[in-house]
Amino acid sequence: MLNRAMQRQALLNCTLLTAMRPEELDRLLAMASERSVRRGQTIFLKGDPGSSMMAVLKGSVRITTGSPDGKEITINIIPAGEVFGEIALLDARPRSADASAIEDCDLLVIERRHFLPFLAANQDLMLRMLAVLCQRLRQTSQTLGEMVMLDLPGRLARLLIRLADDHASRTPAGLRIEFKLSQRDIGTRVASSRESVNKQLQAWRDAGLVSLDHGYITLREPDQLRALCDME
């Protein structure tokens, strides 16, 4: 078992669970279980019952779906310390995408059948969670509006800055995002093609704004990238 502090921090990184008080979070952890999956193993498939939320304690997870022409599209990459599938705790609808392990993973699993009775017995917590969900919806609407207004360099810069804010370590070269990003994955997250993303990243590399190292990206001049998407 990984230590309890790591488990608590992983759950606190879930927007939905930020409404919980420490004692409530400890009660939820007492209901949790752990699951280990190997690299490349499927965690769940689109259409599977939405019966649980998972936190990545070690490794990373890819969330994908299929395009109308049969291609696989990466929706998100979940690194260690992040959660996925949390909406299933509330609505139990079938999974809307596939999830698979990019590398060997340890997952913390919260089952809906345990979570709902816990929530139903605490109406104050239910109201706090509703407020968090409303705020999340507002942020999503704002993000969609920003995507419409920004060109590709702006969208790409915004993505890299947000990833760096959440998942980067400071090195002599700059801010290094601590998990691999394929250009295809990036393209699906900024609504652009892999080729266009590659061209923009190469231009930024030549200009000294970023460094590229086998899927890892280091922001050498984050302030200049922030200026491209007006995030000052």
Side-chain angles (χ1 to χ4, degrees), residues 35-54:
R35 175 184 173 188
S36 295
V37 291
R38 294 291 187 183
R39 177 182 178 182
Q41 183 178 342
T42 297
I43 299 169
F44 56 72
L45 293 172
K46 183 176 181 178
D48 284 352
S51 59
S52 63
M53 178 196 84
M54 301 180 192

Side-chain angles (χ1 to χ4, degrees), residues 140-180:
T140 299
S141 298
Q142 179 181 356
T143 298
L144 289 173
E146 292 168 350
M147 290 287 285
V148 172
M149 298 299 294
L150 292 171
D151 57 10
L152 173 59
R155 298 196 305 273
L156 182 54
R158 183 175 290 271
L159 173 65
L160 295 181
I161 289 295
R162 285 182 169 164
L163 291 175
D165 285 344
D166 293 337
H167 308 293
S169 60
R170 189 170 295 278
T171 71
L175 298 176
R176 185 178 190 265
I177 298 172
E178 290 299 332
F179 59 90
K180 289 186 176 181

Side-chain angles (χ1 to χ4, degrees), residues 151-157 160 183 192-207 209-210 212 225 228:
D151 57 10
L152 173 59
R155 298 196 305 273
L156 182 54
L160 295 181
Q183 292 176 6
S192 187
S193 67
R194 182 192 64 80
E195 293 78 10
S196 295
V197 168
N198 177 64
K199 183 178 179 180
Q200 187 61 61
L201 287 174
Q202 296 299 329
W204 284 349
R205 183 196 63 182
D206 294 344
L209 300 186
V210 302
L212 309 175
L225 292 173
L228 288 173

Side-chain angles (χ1 to χ4, degrees), residues 11-156:
L11 293 187
L12 284 172
N13 285 333
C14 171
T15 302
L16 181 64
L17 301 185
T18 56
M20 300 185 74
R21 299 186 176 116
E23 63 273 17
E24 294 167 339
L25 198 63
D26 287 337
R27 288 172 58 196
L28 187 62
L29 278 171
M31 307 173 192
S33 61
E34 286 195 18
R35 175 184 173 188
S36 295
V37 291
R38 294 291 187 183
R39 177 182 178 182
Q41 183 178 342
T42 297
I43 299 169
F44 56 72
L45 293 172
K46 183 176 181 178
D48 284 352
S51 59
S52 63
M53 178 196 84
M54 301 180 192
V56 183
L57 301 178
K58 185 184 77 172
S60 56
V61 171
R62 177 177 282 113
I63 308 297
T64 60
T65 190
S67 67
D69 59 2
K71 294 181 180 179
E72 182 182 79
I73 298 174
T74 298
I75 300 173
N76 204 359
I77 296 174
I78 314 298
E82 299 284 335
V83 303
F84 61 102
E86 64 269 32
I87 299 303
L89 289 180
L90 300 179
D91 69 5
R93 293 181 62 83
R95 300 292 189 185
S96 58
D98 301 338
S100 59
I102 298 175
E103 51 196 326
D104 291 352
C105 293
D106 289 330
L107 306 175
L108 184 71
V109 183
I110 307 291
E111 297 285 350
R112 186 174 188 269
R113 59 191 173 91
H114 296 144
F115 180 77
L116 280 187
F118 169 69
L119 185 60
N122 191 337
Q123 292 189 1
D124 179 62
L125 173 60
M126 192 180 302
L127 292 174
R128 281 182 269 135
M129 284 190 167
L130 283 173
V132 168
L133 287 173
C134 289
Q135 178 62 22
R136 179 171 173 173
L137 181 59
R138 291 178 187 275
Q139 291 173 345
T140 299
S141 298
Q142 179 181 356
T143 298
L144 289 173
E146 292 168 350
M147 290 287 285
V148 172
M149 298 299 294
L150 292 171
D151 57 10
L152 173 59
R155 298 196 305 273
L156 182 54

